[in-house]
Amino acid sequence: MDKRDCLFVYASILLLLILFASCRSTRLLEEGQALVTKTEIEGIEPRLTEQAKAYIPPDLRPNSRINLFIYNLANARKGRYRTKNIRNVGEPPHVLDSALVDFSTQQINRYLASKGYFNAEVSNNIVLKGKRAHIYFHANLGVPYTVRNVDVNIADPQLAQVYAEHGVIGRKVRPAMRYDADSLVAERERIYHLMRQQGYYEYLRQYMRVDVDTSLRRNQADLKLILDNPEGQAAHTKFTIDSSFVIIQHSRDDLNHVMPKKMVLDNQVYVEDYTGRFHPAPIARYLFHHHGDAYNVDLENLTYDRLYELNGFRSVKIAYSKPDSNRLNVYYELTPRPYMANQIEGEYTFNSGMSGFNVGNTFTHRNLFGGLEQLEVKLRYGVLFDSRLPGNLLDRVFNNDFQVGVNITVPRLLTPFSVPLGGRNGLPRTIFSANIQAFDQFQTYSNRYFSGTLSYNWSDTRYKHHTLTPLVLEYRYGQLNEEFAQRLIDQGFLLYVRSNNRAYFGLGSQYVYTLNAVRLSRLEDFIYFRGALDLSGNLLGVASQVIDFQRNVDGEKEVFGVPYLQYAKAETDLRYYRYFGGDRQLIVRLNPGIAVPYGNNSSLLIFEKSFFGGGMNGIRAWQARTLGPGNYNRQVLDPGLRLNLRNLDQLGEVKLEGNVEYRFKVLNDLFGAKLKAATFADFGNVWRIRENELNPGGEFRFDKFLGQMAIGTGVGLRFDRGYFVIRLDAGLKVRDPQFDGANQWVITELFNSREFKEQYRITNAPDRYNFVQYNFGIGMPF
């Protein structure tokens, strides 16, 4: 085994030692003490068990074995626990407390009563096994109470009319349902929100009372919902909006002007800008309360959301004053964020004798032209070193990659025609983007790439998002090393040389539709979908029927002296998220895609538009661009080509990838972060559309593709700080399609890895075979 496999084994042994040591954790307890090692609730239907357990204090639940081991290791002294200078690490032992058991019994009983089991009886039983305690709570539920009648008594006729018109929709309490106190709370919240939607700004939750009559027979209860008027008033007041006042000023007085810039807009909107930097129209566009409107809490919340989405304000406060008894003036107090910001980030990569780093710098201006336009300039440089190359460090540079990107985002749709989007479902944006890339790989390949785009982003509902890019302008100049290109030609790879040793021009469009992206950070059940379509060259193809474009030696039509691209590419990402309570979540993902070159460049898809397998967000047991296509095995190349073609020969026009991942929590607090873990299985591959002499066995065939699927599995750790996640995954190869027949199941060679790797080195040098691939990243893989 190599060093990484040894590390994996040693980590497993350490985990077993921790589990073994935790089993002996009771040795530090004093006589008469018992460690709680099991807590169960019996007799309760499964859907109530999870909530009922919340009424058992943490001190009566079993310890985390790892946390208890750490605490014991730090606080053990002479066979006993420390009584002084206790080190606050890990988790102290949860020692049995009979008084706390009785208290928990009462709390569970009250919880069951709130769920309609008024006659429930809860008892407890403590089983001692040496210095270990098993606690059992047993509930005799009885027959639950159901709701017979629901009467509503509303003192204000206007509120009664609102309730009658809207009260049936989403009602939380109704006859024949089982009594549930949480449903009453939900109904009170629903009515509170309903009234504040309809203009009743001063309506409070406390105006609703509930009378419960459980004296009926047959375990039934009558409910009476009572909505009172404000004390001393005959009715509630409905408010309308009068004027709106926008005040923009820095939190530091020395940054503000003494005299603000004052502006008056339509709908009685008055703006005072103490910074002198903002145009009022882009801000007023997302103030959804207008003069004469009834107050609506939803419009208030929507205004908060859109003003924050503009990304120009650090603080947004909305307050109200009453110029008379039934009108409201709205005050928007906006505190700008720093106009300019700079962020530096980097990462280190390593695998199979290749190591390197990526460093990036992002400059942001949040109010470029005064209308909250955002300028973003990104610089990125990455370098990869190959330890197998001779010479000093600079001589071992295998590839380097330099990129510059400039984006300007305007917070509205800039179109020649009117678009009826008011921003209620999301902030519409127009994005101008330009990117330049310079890539060089040792004695193999260099690439110069430029792209410019115009994009529109909008949402037609809260969960449906669209991105339309009507203009995609691309230029690429790719050049193979002369000696390397000649070697490829000598070995019959002329087609590959022609497709990578010249420039391309692209003019096309793209469209992306996304469903439920806003739910990705939530723990709930939902389906996520993303579909993308990329078309290029169709307009030029039509124009070529009218204009006699010049052709090159390969018969391709040229624009500005270079052939233009013509292809269609489609990709979908479908996921199912299933939530099991707590932090437990199952994700099933399917990610197919296809790219078809045709017309003017039907020979081979360019590098940038091809699919690749492996990587930290795909099939994690393989390094990026080292999987496939199909059954392709790099041993068919001579050693020089294997070294120089890295990242160039393992691409495809067809992609099928799938993942199954189960996520769960390990520790609540580890150095200020939640420690979560995941187990996963990944499968898939990439393929060529048609046979290609560079990749024998790499073409897609319906009768063979299932037998060419790579399979990997693994485990991962996630350090969740709430606002970002640090991720470490270890992927293990199970089935590798580069081999034949039963030999694809490389998992059988895991414990015979030295001989297997030596044989692979002989046939595939300088490539090395790794069973385990480590991936370090920021954020979730999907």
Side-chain angles (χ1 to χ4, degrees):
M1 292 188 293
D2 63 17
K3 292 182 179 179
R4 290 176 184 164
D5 291 337
C6 290
L7 180 63
F8 182 78
V9 173
Y10 292 153
S12 301
I13 293 173
L14 178 61
L15 180 60
L16 291 174
L17 289 175
I18 291 175
L19 295 176
F20 174 73
S22 67
C23 294
R24 303 180 63 247
S25 56
T26 59
R27 62 186 176 83
L28 300 176
L29 297 178
E30 298 180 1
E31 290 298 324
Q33 290 185 323
L35 181 71
V36 177
T37 57
K38 188 175 185 179
T39 303
E40 289 188 358
I41 300 177
E42 302 172 337
I44 300 179
E45 52 188 300
R47 67 186 187 88
L48 298 179
T49 301
E50 190 74 28
Q51 295 182 14
K53 286 182 177 179
Y55 290 87
I56 302 174
D59 289 345
L60 280 185
R61 303 176 195 172
N63 287 92
S64 162
R65 292 185 175 184
I66 296 177
N67 281 350
L68 182 58
F69 168 75
I70 295 173
Y71 182 88
N72 289 348
L73 194 65
N75 292 289
R77 186 175 183 182
K78 297 180 180 180
R80 292 288 184 269
Y81 283 113
R82 290 173 177 264
T83 56
K84 296 180 180 179
N85 300 322
I86 298 174
R87 295 166 180 167
N88 188 24
V89 295
E91 183 181 61
H94 295 168
V95 179
L96 176 66
D97 184 339
S98 58
L100 207 54
V101 174
D102 292 338
F103 174 75
S104 301
T105 304
Q106 296 173 6
Q107 291 297 101
I108 295 172
N109 200 88
R110 290 174 181 171
Y111 165 72
L112 294 175
S114 73
K115 292 298 180 181
Y117 295 98
F118 291 104
N119 299 321
E121 295 180 357
V122 181
S123 60
N124 62 70
N125 181 32
I126 301 173
V127 179
L128 296 176
K129 296 183 178 180
K131 288 188 175 183
R132 291 180 174 80
H134 295 179
I135 305 173
Y136 299 92
F137 296 95
H138 182 76
N140 184 7
L141 295 178
V143 180
Y145 275 65
T146 58
V147 176
R148 189 183 69 169
N149 294 316
V150 179
D151 293 329
V152 181
N153 185 358
I154 302 177
D156 186 336
Q158 295 299 322
L159 261 65
Q161 182 177 351
V162 171
Y163 182 85
E165 292 175 353
H166 303 275
V168 176
I169 302 174
R171 190 169 61 180
K172 307 300 181 182
V173 181
R174 56 190 179 277
M177 68 175 289
R178 193 187 68 193
Y179 174 87
D180 189 336
D182 289 340
S183 297
L184 297 176
V185 173
E187 179 67 6
R188 182 175 68 174
E189 192 66 25
R190 187 187 72 85
I191 293 176
Y192 167 75
H193 190 81
L194 173 63
M195 297 308 169
R196 287 176 61 85
Q197 282 179 319
Q198 301 299 315
Y200 295 97
Y201 168 72
E202 294 183 333
Y203 182 88
L204 303 175
R205 295 177 178 85
Q206 292 85 339
Y207 291 139
M208 174 179 155
R209 296 182 291 113
V210 182
D211 286 344
V212 182
D213 183 3
T214 60
S215 62
L216 307 173
R217 297 180 180 180
R218 298 180 181 177
N219 296 88
Q220 292 182 321
D222 282 346
L223 303 180
K224 178 179 287 188
L225 309 184
I226 303 170
L227 271 64
D228 293 325
N229 285 332
E231 186 174 356
Q233 298 183 26
H236 291 260
T237 302
K238 185 173 183 177
F239 288 88
T240 57
I241 303 300
D242 187 42
S243 300
S244 298
F245 300 87
V246 180
I247 301 98
I248 308 172
Q249 56 185 352
H250 291 289
S251 56
R252 288 173 49 189
D253 291 337
D254 59 309
L255 298 177
N256 295 318
H257 297 173
V258 176
M259 295 298 294
K261 182 171 67 175
K262 297 184 178 181
M263 293 150 284
V264 180
L265 306 180
D266 295 338
N267 291 316
Q268 294 186 206
V269 177
Y270 302 87
V271 180
E272 293 184 0
D273 182 7
Y274 286 85
T275 70
R277 289 178 174 266
F278 292 90
H279 297 315
I283 298 173
R285 188 179 297 118
Y286 300 110
L287 307 181
F288 293 96
H289 267 142
H290 300 149
H291 172 71
D293 290 346
Y295 168 80
N296 188 331
V297 67
D298 287 348
L299 297 181
E300 177 184 319
N301 293 332
L302 191 59
T303 300
Y304 269 118
D305 292 343
R306 296 300 168 265
L307 291 180
Y308 274 118
E309 280 185 63
L310 288 171
N311 199 36
F313 301 110
R314 182 179 64 189
S315 172
V316 176
K317 296 181 180 179
I318 302 178
Y320 300 88
S321 68
K322 295 189 291 185
D324 55 36
S325 60
N326 65 345
R327 289 187 301 159
L328 294 173
N329 285 336
V330 193
Y331 294 85
Y332 302 93
E333 299 178 16
L334 309 180
T335 304
R337 299 180 66 182
Y339 300 116
M340 291 177 283
N342 201 68
Q343 180 180 354
I344 299 175
E345 56 188 4
E347 63 179 2
Y348 177 76
T349 60
F350 61 92
N351 187 67
S352 301
M354 310 280 280
S355 62
F357 64 86
N358 295 307
V359 61
N361 185 86
T362 302
F363 168 79
T364 304
H365 194 300
R366 299 186 177 94
N367 190 32
L368 186 61
F369 304 120
L372 290 158
E373 302 87 359
Q374 180 168 296
L375 167 69
E376 191 174 65
V377 180
K378 292 185 177 182
L379 302 176
R380 180 182 179 275
Y381 177 71
V383 62
L384 191 65
F385 299 95
D386 191 341
S387 61
R388 295 164 292 188
L389 295 176
N392 58 34
L393 183 63
L394 293 179
D395 293 329
R396 295 180 178 180
V397 173
F398 182 71
N399 65 43
N400 57 70
D401 186 7
F402 178 72
Q403 299 179 34
V404 180
V406 179
N407 295 325
I408 297 177
T409 303
V410 181
R412 64 188 180 97
L413 299 185
L414 297 177
T415 60
F417 47 86
S418 177
V419 179
L421 284 174
R424 288 177 177 262
N425 298 303
L427 187 71
R429 294 180 175 92
T430 302
I431 303 174
F432 301 89
S433 178
N435 296 277
I436 299 175
Q437 179 188 28
F439 175 86
D440 292 286
Q441 184 159 295
F442 177 72
Q443 294 183 354
T444 306
Y445 178 73
S446 66
N447 181 49
R448 303 296 180 262
Y449 181 74
F450 167 80
S451 70
T453 62
L454 166 64
S455 297
Y456 299 107
N457 293 351
W458 76 94
S459 300
D460 56 2
T461 72
R462 185 180 178 186
Y463 302 107
K464 299 177 182 179
H465 185 75
H466 305 263
T467 299
L468 174 63
T469 308
L471 177 62
V472 180
L473 183 67
E474 297 177 282
Y475 175 82
R476 189 196 76 158
Y477 182 79
Q479 187 174 25
L480 296 175
N481 174 274
E482 290 185 7
E483 181 180 345
F484 175 59
Q486 187 59 51
R487 259 192 295 162
L488 287 174
I489 294 173
D490 293 342
Q491 296 186 23
F493 299 137
L494 178 61
L495 180 61
Y496 188 82
V497 173
R498 287 180 175 177
S499 63
N500 287 276
N501 205 19
R502 57 183 175 177
Y504 290 93
F505 176 78
L507 179 62
S509 301
Q510 298 173 353
Y511 172 71
V512 178
Y513 170 76
T514 309
L515 175 67
N516 284 333
V518 297
R519 287 186 163 127
L520 289 176
S521 59
R522 304 177 190 173
L523 292 174
E524 59 185 28
D525 296 343
F526 65 94
I527 292 176
Y528 168 88
F529 175 80
R530 181 182 185 274
L533 181 63
D534 182 1
L535 302 174
S536 182
N538 290 333
L539 184 62
L540 292 173
V542 173
S544 69
Q545 304 299 317
V546 180
I547 304 172
D548 186 16
F549 288 139
Q550 183 179 348
R551 294 177 181 267
N552 60 19
V553 294
D554 297 317
E556 294 176 320
K557 299 173 184 178
E558 294 185 336
V559 176
F560 305 122
V562 296
Y564 64 83
L565 293 175
Q566 200 166 6
Y567 67 87
K569 180 179 180 181
E571 184 177 6
T572 62
D573 187 347
L574 179 63
R575 311 175 199 168
Y576 172 64
Y577 288 78
R578 178 66 187 277
Y579 178 50
F580 295 102
D583 285 282
R584 297 170 297 158
Q585 189 179 37
L586 176 70
I587 302 96
V588 180
R589 175 176 179 253
L590 191 63
N591 178 209
I594 184 170
V596 181
Y598 63 93
N600 204 47
N601 78 301
S602 59
S603 58
L604 193 67
L605 194 67
I606 63 172
F607 176 87
E608 289 83 1
K609 301 301 177 180
S610 299
F611 297 109
F612 64 87
M616 66 174 64
N617 298 320
I619 306 174
R620 285 160 279 187
W622 278 261
Q623 187 183 13
R625 297 183 175 89
T626 62
L627 173 63
N631 288 130
Y632 171 60
N633 189 320
R634 303 186 83 232
Q635 78 175 53
V636 301
L637 303 176
D638 67 53
L641 283 176
R642 279 199 291 271
L643 176 63
N644 292 325
L645 274 178
R646 180 68 57 86
N647 295 336
L648 291 176
D649 61 327
Q650 294 189 263
L651 305 170
E653 295 86 40
V654 179
K655 168 187 176 181
L656 179 59
E657 181 178 293
N659 315 85
V660 179
E661 180 166 300
Y662 179 71
R663 300 170 183 169
F664 54 95
K665 183 174 65 179
V666 179
L667 297 175
N668 271 323
D669 189 2
L670 181 66
F671 304 113
K674 285 186 178 181
L675 178 61
K676 298 181 180 179
T679 60
F680 57 82
D682 306 323
F683 63 90
N685 205 337
V686 295
W687 294 266
R688 295 292 192 183
I689 284 183
R690 53 183 69 91
E691 291 186 20
N692 185 296
E693 63 265 32
L694 181 64
N695 308 115
E699 68 277 5
F700 180 87
R701 293 184 178 177
F702 281 102
D703 59 342
K704 288 186 176 182
F705 81 96
L706 290 178
Q708 297 173 335
M709 299 288 255
I711 300 176
T713 187
V715 296
L717 294 176
R718 288 90 164 92
F719 299 90
D720 188 353
R721 293 298 300 268
Y723 51 92
F724 75 95
V725 176
I726 299 174
R727 172 168 56 93
L728 177 63
D729 288 333
L732 174 66
K733 293 181 176 67
V734 176
R735 184 188 188 193
D736 192 337
Q738 69 175 302
F739 303 111
D740 297 323
N743 293 330
Q744 290 186 349
W745 297 97
V746 294
I747 189 66
T748 61
E749 302 290 342
L750 179 62
F751 298 103
N752 187 34
S753 59
R754 179 172 299 179
E755 292 80 1
F756 180 84
K757 291 179 179 180
E758 178 62 23
Q759 180 61 37
Y760 190 83
R761 187 192 65 80
I762 294 173
T763 60
N764 290 67
D767 291 355
R768 300 177 183 176
Y769 199 86
N770 289 317
F771 284 95
V772 179
Q773 172 67 33
Y774 297 96
N775 298 283
F776 175 81
I778 304 297
M780 291 297 188
F782 43 80

